[in-house]
């Protein structure tokens, strides 16, 4: 038995085993209550729910705690049992349910032991989670204002193809508008209602009769299609997902230099939303049309093939609340293992983004246009005033000349009091 084991081990090493040298995980938060129930929702009374609207539930906490324990097993070769800030970096969007999901996840990833137990009544240890206000976050929340993005998005949603496709759901939108009491005009509106109904069904609330003819079947496709619109063109993908993918690949490439003495974090974790996951997959050309569920996660892994000393990028996706192995994705035009250089070349449109410059460039152009328009308005007002005062002055001169021409005995008429 022992010789056989040695042969198996040697064979594995000789013929090339693979090691994960770096991993970045982007996941959706866990189970939460509805964010904003529709006006006619019979279950919109917040007191009927276990927590306030939009907050992480105990189920959601357990989902991420379980995911954290699974990540501990998966990346035990990358992360020590003790928390080390040089090994891992965790970032969340500035939203309660994502911040709490990250903390629950880390509770499973770093269970305290030995000297790490600082309170015998609380088997938990604090691990830092970093965040940025959404309005300032172009990387993870993807909500920092960008005029260039807004301009391209307006062009997309007013394009003929987009309007024709959306009009296929006009009857559904009208039906939902009547029965929900909200004006349904877009894929996002459909998804908001779909998400609320989905959560209510999870909590065994009886759905209204009107939902039976449309939920889930007729609503699922347009609701899930909403996850493609924010990255519906190459430019939208570049400005929406480019900063995050550039951030991840920068650290992935740094991990390749560790053999030559370079230092890098081994794991990056990003706690975000279904829209974040959908945006990433669609920008990469991997979105399958299914809505990302709670704790859905995209895995970016740097793989070292020891037999060839070649580094590859592997992307996996898990769209399940169950603890199951993620599906290894087929990277378009590269396969399930993509050489790093080829991966960088394939996604150059995303990775070459200079977000601040490209967005500020549009802003500068707008400022320039505003300045020109403002200057033209000022000049027009100035000329109008000059013409007006010239006429007034000319009239004054004419009146003065007329008064000077009167005979000495004649004087202008005066008003006499009645």
């Amino acid at each position: 038995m022992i010789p056989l084991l040695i042969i198996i081990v040697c064979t594995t090493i000789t013929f090339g085993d693979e090691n994960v040298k770096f991993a970045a995980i982007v996941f959706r938060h866990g189970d939460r209550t509805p964010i904003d129930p529709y006006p006619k929702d019979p279950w919109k009374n917040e007191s009927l729910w276990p927590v306030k609207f939009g907050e992480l539930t105990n189920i959601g906490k357990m989902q991420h705690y379980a995911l954290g324990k699974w990540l501990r097993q998966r990346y035990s070769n990358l992360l020590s049992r003790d928390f080390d800030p040089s090994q891992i970096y965790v970032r969340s969007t500035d939203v309660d349910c994502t911040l709490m999901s990250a903390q629950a996840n880390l509770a499973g990833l770093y269970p305290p032991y030995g000297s790490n137990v600082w309170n015998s009544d609380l088997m938990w240890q604090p691990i830092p989670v970093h965040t940025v206000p959404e309005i300032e976050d172009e990387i993870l929340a993807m909500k920092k204002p960008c005029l260039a993005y807004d301009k391209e998005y307006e062009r997309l949603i007013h394009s003929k193809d987009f309007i024709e496709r959306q009009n296929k759901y006009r009857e559904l939108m009208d039906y939902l508008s009547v029965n929900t009491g909200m004006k349904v005009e877009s894929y996002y509106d459909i998804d908001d209602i779909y998400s609320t109904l989905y959560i209510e069904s999870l909590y065994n609330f009886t759905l209204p009769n009107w939902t039976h003819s449309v939920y889930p079947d007729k609503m699922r496709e347009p609701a899930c299609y909403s996850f493609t619109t924010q990255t519906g063109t190459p430019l939208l993908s570049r400005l929406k997902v480019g900063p995050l993918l550039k951030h991840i690949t920068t650290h992935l490439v740094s991990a390749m230099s560790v053999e030559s003495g370079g230092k890098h974090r081994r794991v990056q974790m990003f706690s975000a939303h279904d829209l974040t996951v959908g945006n990433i997959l669609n920008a990469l050309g991997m979105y399958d049309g299914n809505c990302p569920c709670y704790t859905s996660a995209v895995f970016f892994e740097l793989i070292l093939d020891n037999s060839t000393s070649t580094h590859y990028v592997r992307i996996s996706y898990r769209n399940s609340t169950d603890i199951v192995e993620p599906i290894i994705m087929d990277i378009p035009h590269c396969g399930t293992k993509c050489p790093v250089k080829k991966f960088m070349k394939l996604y150059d449109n995303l990775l070459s983004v200079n977000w601040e410059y490209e967005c500020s460039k549009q802003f500068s152009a707008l400022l320039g246009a505003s300045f020109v328009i403002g200057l033209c308005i000022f000049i027009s007002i100035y000329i109008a005033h000059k013409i007006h005062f010239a006429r007034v002055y000319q009239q004054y001169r004419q009146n003065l000349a007329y008064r000077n021409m009167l005979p000495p005995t004649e004087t202008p008429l005066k008003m006499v009091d009645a």
Side-chain angles (χ1 to χ4, degrees):
M1 178 63 70
I2 293 177
L4 178 60
L5 178 61
I6 294 175
I7 292 174
I8 293 174
V9 172
C10 291
T11 302
T12 302
I13 295 174
T14 303
F15 290 96
D17 57 336
E18 297 176 347
N19 297 112
V20 178
K21 310 300 289 185
F22 168 83
I25 308 103
V26 185
F27 54 68
R28 187 191 179 192
H29 56 77
D31 180 89
R32 60 156 172 78
T33 51
I35 295 176
D36 186 20
Y38 55 89
K40 293 184 179 181
D41 193 340
W43 310 112
K44 67 179 180 180
N45 187 335
E46 198 170 52
S47 65
L48 299 172
W49 294 87
V51 294
K52 298 289 186 179
F53 284 144
E55 298 295 316
L56 194 71
T57 65
N58 286 342
I59 294 174
K61 297 168 193 174
M62 286 302 300
Q63 288 171 340
H64 263 291
Y65 179 73
L67 178 59
K69 292 180 68 175
W70 180 82
L71 290 173
R72 162 56 56 190
Q73 294 178 352
R74 185 178 182 86
Y75 297 121
S76 58
N77 66 314
L78 295 179
L79 299 174
S80 61
R81 288 184 64 189
D82 296 326
F83 167 70
D84 183 343
S86 68
Q87 294 180 351
I88 186 170
Y89 175 82
V90 183
R91 178 166 173 169
S92 170
T93 59
D94 192 23
V95 178
D96 287 359
C97 64
T98 54
L99 288 162
M100 294 168 70
S101 291
Q103 292 164 358
N105 194 299
L106 290 167
L109 186 61
Y110 287 104
Y113 73 98
S115 61
N116 291 327
V117 179
W118 58 279
N119 186 337
S120 59
D121 295 327
L122 181 63
M123 296 306 293
W124 169 85
Q125 60 178 324
I127 306 293
V129 177
H130 304 270
T131 192
V132 175
E134 287 189 299
I135 196 68
E136 300 173 14
D137 186 4
E138 79 280 11
I139 292 179
L140 189 57
M142 304 175 181
K143 289 187 177 181
K144 190 173 182 178
C146 177
L147 288 174
Y149 179 89
D150 294 342
K151 182 178 179 180
E152 176 69 1
Y153 187 73
E154 284 296 312
R155 188 190 70 79
L156 170 68
I157 64 176
H158 290 101
S159 65
K160 181 181 178 182
D161 290 345
F162 187 92
I163 292 173
E164 287 181 351
R165 191 185 194 286
Q166 185 168 273
N167 281 341
K168 293 194 305 181
Y169 305 102
R170 181 56 52 194
E171 184 178 347
L172 174 63
M173 292 180 185
D174 293 340
Y175 180 81
L176 293 175
S177 296
V178 170
N179 288 283
T180 63
M182 64 179 281
K183 195 171 184 179
V184 180
E185 298 181 303
S186 69
Y187 294 112
Y188 292 109
D189 294 334
I190 297 174
D191 182 59
D192 285 344
I193 301 168
Y194 181 84
S195 176
T196 297
L197 297 176
Y198 172 74
I199 296 170
E200 290 175 347
S201 64
L202 285 180
Y203 280 81
N204 295 319
F205 287 119
T206 302
L207 300 184
N209 290 333
W210 66 262
T211 64
H212 300 164
S213 62
V214 294
Y215 177 82
D217 295 338
K218 290 185 178 180
M219 294 181 66
R220 182 185 291 111
E221 198 277 337
C224 295
Y225 186 77
S226 67
F227 295 99
T228 70
T229 58
Q230 287 196 359
T231 51
T233 72
L235 180 56
L236 290 178
S237 293
R238 176 181 177 86
L239 296 173
K240 181 66 69 172
V241 176
L244 176 59
L245 195 63
K246 185 176 183 178
H247 176 86
I248 290 173
T249 53
T250 297
H251 288 272
L252 183 146
V253 171
S254 295
M256 294 170 60
S257 64
V258 69
E259 290 84 2
S260 59
K263 294 182 179 180
H264 73 288
R265 286 193 174 98
R266 301 172 183 176
V267 174
Q268 289 188 319
M269 287 172 50
F270 300 92
S271 181
H273 309 268
D274 52 358
L275 192 55
T276 317
V277 172
N279 282 339
I280 292 170
L281 292 174
N282 196 57
L284 293 171
M286 298 179 182
Y287 184 60
D288 62 3
N290 293 309
C291 301
C293 69
Y294 293 136
T295 72
S296 56
V298 182
F299 300 80
F300 295 87
E301 294 174 327
L302 174 66
I303 307 298
L304 174 62
D305 188 330
N306 292 313
S307 64
T308 61
S309 297
T310 304
H311 288 91
Y312 297 91
V313 176
R314 182 171 67 195
I315 299 177
S316 305
Y317 180 47
R318 195 198 75 169
N319 193 17
S320 173
T321 54
D322 297 326
I323 300 303
V324 295
E325 280 294 313
I327 296 173
I328 297 176
M329 306 294 282
D330 188 19
I331 299 173
H333 311 293
C334 205
T336 55
K337 284 195 315 180
C338 189
V340 174
K341 287 185 178 179
K342 186 172 182 180
F343 180 85
M344 303 283 282
K345 184 177 181 180
L346 283 171
Y347 292 107
D348 179 69
N349 174 58
L350 303 176
L351 301 177
S352 63
V353 67
N354 186 340
W355 195 92
E356 291 288 350
Y357 172 75
E358 292 173 41
C359 292
S360 63
K361 178 181 174 183
Q362 185 73 25
F363 182 68
S364 299
L366 182 62
L367 284 179
S370 300
F371 175 78
V372 171
I373 293 172
L375 181 61
C376 291
I377 293 174
F378 173 78
I379 293 173
S380 299
I381 294 173
Y382 176 77
I383 293 173
H385 276 276
K386 289 284 286 185
I387 293 173
H388 172 71
F389 285 116
R391 288 176 178 171
V392 171
Y393 182 69
Q394 184 180 14
Q395 186 65 40
Y396 168 76
R397 292 291 300 271
Q398 290 175 351
N399 291 342
L400 184 62
Y402 173 74
R403 288 167 61 90
N404 291 337
M405 290 174 61
L406 291 174
T409 56
E410 294 185 20
T411 58
L413 296 174
K414 295 182 178 180
M415 296 297 294
V416 179
D417 291 337

